[in-house]
Amino acid sequence: MIRIALNRILQGIPVLFVVITVTFFLIRQAPGGPFDAERALPPEVIKNLEATYRLDAPVYQQYFDYLGNLLKGDFGPSFRYPGRSVTELIATGLPITLELAVYALAVALVLGLLAGLLAATRPRTLQDYLPMALAMTGICLPTFLLGPLLVLVFGIWFEWLPVSGWGYAPGDKILPSLTLGLAYAAVIARLSRGGLLEVLSQNYIRTARAKGLSTPTILFRHALPGGMAPVIAYLGPAIAGLLTGSFVVETIFQIPGLGRFYVQAAFNRDYTMIMGTTILLSALIVVLNIVADLVSIKLNPQLRQKHRHE
Amino acid sequence: MQMSLRSFPYSKKSLLIIVAFLALTGCDLGETNVESAIESQVLHLGNGTEPQDLDPHIVTGVTENNIITALFEGLISEHPESLAPMPGLAESWEVSEDGLRYQFTIREEAKWSNGDPVTAADFVWSWKRILTPALGAEYAYQLYPVAGAAAFNKGEISDFDQVGVRALGEKLLQVTLENPTPYFLSLLAHYSTFAVHPPTIEAFGGVTERGTAWTRPGNLVGNGAFLLKSWRLNYLIEVEKNPDYWDAENVQLSAIRFYPIDNAQTEERMFRTGALHVAATTPSSKIAVYQESDPQKISISPYLGTYFYRFNVTRKPLDNPKVRRALSMSIDREAIVNAVTKGGQLPAYAFTPPETQGYFPPGGDDGFAIRYDISKAKELMAEAGYPEGEGFPTLELLYNTSEGHRRIAEAIQQMWKQALGIDIQLANTDWKVYLSRTNDLDYDISRAGWIGDYPDPNTFLDMMLTDGGNNRTGWSSPDYDRLIAKAATQSNQKERYQSFTEAERILNREAPLMPIYTYTRVTLRDPSVKNWHPNILDHHPYKYIFLEKEGADQ
Amino acid sequence: MNNKMLASHHPLDGQDGEYGQSLWSLAWAKLRKNKLAMFGLGVIVFMTIIAVLTPLLSPYPQEAQDLTLGAVPPSAAHWLGTDTLGRDLLTRLMYGGRVSLLVGFAATAVALVIGILWGTIAGYFGGIIDAAMMRIVDILYALPFMIFVILLMVVFERSFLLLFLAIGLIEWLTMARIVRAQVMNIRRQEYISAAVVTGLSRRQIIFRHIMPNVIGPVIVYVTLTIPGVMLFEAFLSFLGLGVQPPASSWGVLISDGVETMEEYPWLLIFPGIALSLTLFSLNFLGDGLRDALDPRTTVDGDGG
């Protein structure tokens, strides 16, 4: 187990290196620099600014400087917000994005598993079709459509929930979490239904049924652990999707998370901020994928065998 | 995960719990921000994007202005309705006969928020700071009317004593101008001319260091009606009343909250549900809705800005003034403002907005005025060698990505096709690409907007000077340059305006740019906000504002 | 429909040919019984025909606008109403559908070509080549692609080609994995060994014997990938990074429609229906195909 984990972590390092390198040279290819402004700056001023941020050095020099600073844990200063370091900006945005992702994941798991359970216990009845139809709708509705629709219904028509914000007013975290989580709930519903149906058709379940165990007991004690395998395998990609996909929700609900910082940074050519965000999110995704893999292996003895042989 | 599933064995029960949870957390919204503000006198403002900084000598934006004017005050303040210069930190001033020398008396009670008195020396120090080339202040040119300021800022002279600002006493400031500048007092209400607290700046890193921590809450020392209380990035900036402000007894708001909201749809929804008193932008589709159902909540007022297209005169066929005039005369500006922008904008036929401090651009009867005249436009195109658009190359229209710009571009694209039979290709890029391409003259036609810095035609017309950093069309006219330079030396307003009129006539004849409309400010404002007056700069001095239940007189 | 064509790719007669023939006809029979899948197939075919024939069928020219008209609800002249520039929504929807479907199909095609080639080569040769190639796939899997695509679209001038490439480059990874697994399966079958013995070249074996047998799972994955791609295009449009006006796509129409959903609901409802219906149909068809081609319910393939 530890060997697998170490192995995976070692694999992650070249990934991050590729991310850093590609991003670094890609953004410097972009037309327009961080100091282009509507009111043109005198050339002397631009020269001063570029010297301040060491943008006057050759690009490869900047690249090695950046790598060097990175090893020291320094993401550099933000170009957009004078006096703010990228670390400071990330430190304000990341906890919010993580919180949003956790709530959305909770929504996805609770609603998704519930729908999957309902559907799998009575396949090919209304109790199956209805949740699955809803799940399909969830998959087919873009987030940027679902969000404003939820706001319109719950925020404006019923006036139950605030229309935006994150911690401004009680209850304002509900709609963003729902908006982000529902698409994933839909996928989890379909996966858990499939997984459960497969397990329920196995011999040991039939044996349990024959022994006269009650349906809930069979379902929760025997079927669920096995039936969850596909859902658990999906968690890694799901969390990655939640983290990188959060900025649509952050834009619609004006949440001060990392996603909004990232998109603003891309538009503002805030080089260091783009780099910092990309590196951080990549690292998170790499780590989460490793964790998801390890959990899958731990829960599934067959996979463990396979890895031992590899 | 399995635990939680076990605790919800039945789906109906769990559904009930979810519903109950939603009901408990959701239904109890209580008072809205707007309702509770009557009691607390806290003003909630939508404020566009996150401010870059709060240093008056560094920033350039409107959102920054809105916050900085709460934290600092200039020598001059603005009348809340007319924006006429009023005593600010200076309680009085004298102007010499020739209009070149100003002497300000700073009020005795004017204090920094740490208790230090505001002195004339603070202003000299601050003006030196913004003019120091190493600081790279983008708005340094606001002080160029001061004798020697431009030369100092450009590094031509290094001795600040040669710049026309002097402390004659602790509270006495003397300013000498290069030319009589009728709008000079208005400039002193602009944040770039404000004083900052020298010991604070020096304590946090020195005169020419950009972006030090001095603007953070707890560090910032200001002299305005409010103090910086908290600053949470992309979230909220809160200022609270400054009890030591010289006019504190007349300040009624206890605090102002600025929310950076860059999505107009979200901002409007927040306004509608009572989370905001004022929304900075209004989606155009909502204008008619408010006018119909809540006319007291929406106000449309002229704004000192022009929306226009630039022609790249270095490229064929746009190097031909006839082509440029034909393009400008074949668009239906009335239809654009009525059907596309719908915000009460005025069709613009000249660059300077009408009635800019009593100035009216040449129009109507003037021989070279731009007007909507398709047959004349066709004639011009034929004269230029493109009858019915024959042989006219497909030009590219560049604009920065935005729903509003796109709609206008699409409408104009169609108008040109119908009127002149020419094809235009639309190209949208993001803001930075757009800026770098217009700057490098790497475009055919590009969308642009210009907002005046101060109420005077000069803020528009000096943009088109040959060496103007914002010219960006490649257009140059010695006659034009000469007229603008002449206006700068004239102290008689009527003669000055005559020079501007002649200059603008050249602009109309040559048409390096195509004015489309004069901006308006469409503001959503709750009726409980009193003493908030629409004006052409959209400035609203907070010290006069208070919140009162509806029905009371504005 | 598909079975004949695919069966004809199968050059070996005898048992394998029979087996292939019966597998495809069996699958087709199963699919025909699945009402939802058939409905989905019908919708897709219908949408595709409309998209192809749009220039002939659209009630108005693509650019026609009538500023004085503005946004009006559905009427006899404009069956689905007009947008705020007075453009016929049905026309916009038809032209937008062309773009959306094109992006969906073309980007998937990019993924298909790279994925099949990569997966087949890795699966066929196995050993160290396979290990190296799949390790690259693993590495790429861990990249935050969404972020890169946004960066790409911000940084470079937007073009259809870039859009296809960017999306296709994300989607080929899963395709490669699926194909590899399938190829490894088939390689172990006897008829491949037989083909090797008869002296067919590797290329011939790969293209004539292995590829056709990989097609089943690939079709399933394709029908499930296209909706993902169309959603992603819509998402880019929401960020203002989608197609260039006056061209539009369903994604553009929806993100415009969302902004005016209270004043002009038809501008959201009809594009929303068009996109959702197509996505539904593709998903139903994909599910149906999966069930038809594989009697057991498979659990993977929805990920990402």
Side-chain angles (χ1 to χ4, degrees), chain B residues 74-97:
Chain B
L75 288 168
I76 297 296
S77 71
E78 291 168 321
H79 187 275
E81 277 178 81
S82 67
L83 300 177
M86 293 184 27
L89 290 179
E91 59 185 0
S92 65
W93 56 89
E94 288 161 25
V95 191
S96 67
E97 198 77 351

Side-chain angles (χ1 to χ4, degrees), chain A residues 30-42 44-45 48-49 52-53 79-85 88-89 92 96 109-111 113-114 117-118 127 147-148 151-152 154-156 159-171 174 178 216 220-221 224-225 228 231-232 235 251-257 260-261 264 266-269, chain B residues 1-2 4-6 8-11 14-15 18 21-22 25-29 48-53 58 60 64 133-139 141 144 153-154 210-213 216-217 231 233-236 259-263 266-270 272-273 275 430-437 439 447-453 459 469-470 472:
Chain A
F35 307 117
D36 281 326
E38 170 131 52
R39 281 161 163 74
L41 287 181
E44 314 88 65
V45 172
N48 268 329
L49 286 172
T52 309
Y53 294 105
F79 292 178
R80 164 77 182 170
Y81 301 109
R84 306 255 176 201
S85 69
E88 182 187 356
L89 295 178
T92 59
I96 292 168
L109 283 173
V110 170
L111 295 184
L113 290 178
L114 200 67
L117 264 177
L118 280 177
Q127 195 180 323
V151 167
L152 187 65
F154 294 105
I156 296 199
E159 293 187 15
W160 284 357
L161 295 166
V163 295
S164 76
W166 191 257
Y168 293 134
I174 295 177
L178 272 181
F220 289 104
R221 195 151 302 162
L224 257 188
M228 284 307 96
V231 175
I232 290 161
L235 284 184
T251 306
I252 295 170
F253 292 95
Q254 296 289 301
I255 296 168
R260 225 171 120 209
F261 277 118
Q264 287 174 359
F267 283 119
N268 288 326
R269 301 287 183 278
Chain B
M1 185 179 62
Q2 283 183 16
S4 66
L5 275 170
R6 276 197 194 123
F8 296 127
Y10 293 107
S11 52
S14 56
L15 261 176
I18 290 173
F21 171 74
L22 274 175
T25 51
C27 280
D28 185 28
L29 279 182
T49 52
E50 170 70 22
Q52 282 190 272
D53 197 354
I58 299 287
T60 53
E64 289 87 354
L135 184 70
E138 296 170 41
Y139 256 140
Y141 69 81
Y144 281 10
N153 186 233
K154 289 173 180 160
R210 291 170 72 96
T212 64
R216 304 296 175 86
W231 182 355
L233 283 165
N234 260 347
Y235 191 86
L236 176 69
Y259 300 89
I261 307 167
D262 44 27
N263 182 319
T266 305
E267 188 174 27
E268 187 276 332
R269 290 196 285 261
M270 287 177 75
R272 203 178 340 160
T273 50
D430 86 303
W431 178 238
K432 289 289 186 177
V433 178
Y434 157 84
L435 286 175
S436 96
R437 284 187 56 185
N439 226 357
R447 162 273 138 187
W450 191 254
I451 310 293
D453 291 324
T459 187
N470 298 301
R472 293 175 180 169

